[in-house]
Structure formats: C-alpha cells, structure tokens
C-alpha cells in the first residue's frame, strides 16, 4: 500500500462506517490510535534491534524493571506465567538476559529456596538511555493537556481497554 492508498484507507475508516461531521470524527480518533500503535511497534522493534533482544526478552526486562520500581522481585515462574510461555522457554530467556548482563539470578529475599530474577544496573541504564528522550517527549504531550482534557483522554483509553478485554457480546 503506497502513501496515498494508506491515507485513503485512513480517511475511509477501514472497516468502520464513514461518519461525516464534527471536528474530530470517531473514526479519526481510532485511526490516530492505530497510528500510535504502529509507532510504538516500530519503536519496540528498533529498541529490540539496538539491544539485540527478542520481543519476549524485552517484555520480560520491562516486567522486571517495573517490579523493581514497585519494590518487588519476580520469580522465574511468575515471569513464565505473565509471559504465557513454558518453564523451559523462560529458563532459556533468563539465561540470555543473564548472559547479556541484563539480569541476575539471586536468592529470593522472602524465600531463600526460590530464585529471583533481578534486573541489573546495566539493564536500567541501557533502557533509560534508549527510551529517556521518547518518554520525555510523550510526557510533555500529556502535560500540555489541561486537567479536564487528561481526564477525558484517560477515561477514553480506560474504556477502550475494557472494551477490548471484554468478552464478545458483552458491551
């Protein structure tokens, strides 16, 4: 699909009915959301390439860093459950993270019989250096909104997430 065909498809609304009227039509909002998702997919691909990681590896690292920021540590089995992969696949994934210096295996602080997977300072530094500028720009966009606009956007995204997570036919 070339650029003009892509623009035509966006304005046509793909599978959504074309509705005319209003400054920001519903389909336009959904098209911008789709464009945002495409941008983040491209960004994740670039980050994975820059860091030499697979999709699940990067997702696991993000989960480990998020857990650390909440003051929690994750067990390998918790990582497997959240990534929806087998124990063997998780073991191989953690082996790669450890080999590349992004994580370490340590005794779990609450249960010394368990092994915790902990992100390293190197991982935090590399992720921060890679994503810091983009996060700063995104935060500036959000901060430019009024409190009322942020509330509307927040409600829209929350309700949209719920609509996607809902069982078919329950809306």
């Amino acid at each position: 699909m070339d650029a003009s065909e892509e623009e035509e498809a966006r304005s046509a609304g793909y599978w959504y009915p074309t509705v005319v009227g209003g400054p920001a039509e519903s389909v336009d909002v959904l098209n911008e959301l789709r464009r945002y998702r495409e941008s983040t997919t491209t960004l994740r691909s670039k980050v994975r390439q820059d860091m030499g990681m697979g999709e699940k590896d990067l997702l696991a690292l993000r989960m480990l860093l998020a857990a650390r920021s909440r003051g929690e540590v994750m067990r390998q089995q918790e990582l497997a459950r959240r990534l929806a992969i087998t124990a063997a696949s998780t073991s191989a994934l953690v082996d790669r993270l450890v080999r590349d210096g992004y994580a370490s295996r340590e005794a779990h602080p609450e249960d010394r019989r368990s092994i915790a997977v902990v992100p390293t300072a190197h991982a935090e530094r590399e992720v921060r250096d890679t994503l810091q500028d983009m996060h700063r720009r995104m935060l500036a966009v959000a901060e430019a909104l009024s409190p009322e606009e942020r509330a509307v956007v927040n409600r829209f995204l929350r309700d949209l997430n719920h609509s996607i997570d809902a069982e078919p036919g329950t809306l």
Side-chain angles (χ1 to χ4, degrees):
M1 185 181 290
D2 69 19
S4 64
E5 290 172 322
E6 186 177 339
E7 183 56 38
E8 185 179 326
R10 272 200 186 108
S11 64
Y14 286 140
W15 50 81
Y16 301 113
T18 302
V19 179
V20 179
E25 297 176 16
S26 300
V27 172
D28 293 335
V29 172
L30 295 176
N31 282 332
E32 284 303 319
L33 190 59
R34 180 182 303 117
R35 181 80 181 80
Y36 170 76
R37 289 181 50 227
E38 291 167 359
S39 295
T40 59
T41 298
T42 301
L43 175 69
R44 272 196 324 270
S45 178
K46 181 184 178 327
V47 169
R48 282 193 333 267
Q49 185 176 22
D50 289 351
M51 294 178 75
M53 298 179 125
E55 179 74 28
K56 293 282 187 184
D57 299 52
L58 187 59
L59 185 56
L61 184 56
R62 192 178 79 181
M63 288 177 183
L64 294 172
L65 290 167
R68 173 182 270 170
S69 73
R70 293 188 307 268
E72 301 169 3
V73 293
M74 291 185 75
R75 292 177 174 90
Q76 194 164 300
Q77 66 189 32
E78 172 69 7
L79 206 50
R81 186 185 64 72
R82 295 199 44 205
L83 291 170
I85 59 177
T86 66
S89 294
T90 307
S91 185
L93 182 151
V94 172
D95 286 346
R96 288 190 302 273
L97 292 177
V98 169
R99 178 196 68 212
D100 295 340
Y102 293 117
S104 62
R105 287 183 172 103
E106 300 176 6
H108 194 282
E110 297 165 9
D111 179 1
R112 299 200 54 82
R113 296 169 298 167
S114 288
I115 300 296
V117 182
V118 180
T120 63
H122 165 71
E124 265 188 87
R125 207 172 29 256
E126 188 158 345
V127 169
R128 188 179 327 108
D129 290 348
T130 303
L131 299 176
Q132 184 173 10
D133 187 53
M134 186 261 317
H135 284 157
R136 185 181 44 73
R137 291 190 314 265
M138 289 173 63
L139 184 59
V141 170
E143 288 176 340
L145 298 172
S146 70
E148 295 80 15
E149 290 170 323
R150 283 193 296 272
V152 169
V153 171
N154 211 16
R155 187 188 82 235
F156 167 73
L157 292 173
R158 183 191 61 237
D159 292 352
L160 192 62
N161 286 328
H162 289 309
S163 76
I164 290 169
D165 294 341
E167 292 294 322
T170 61
L171 292 180

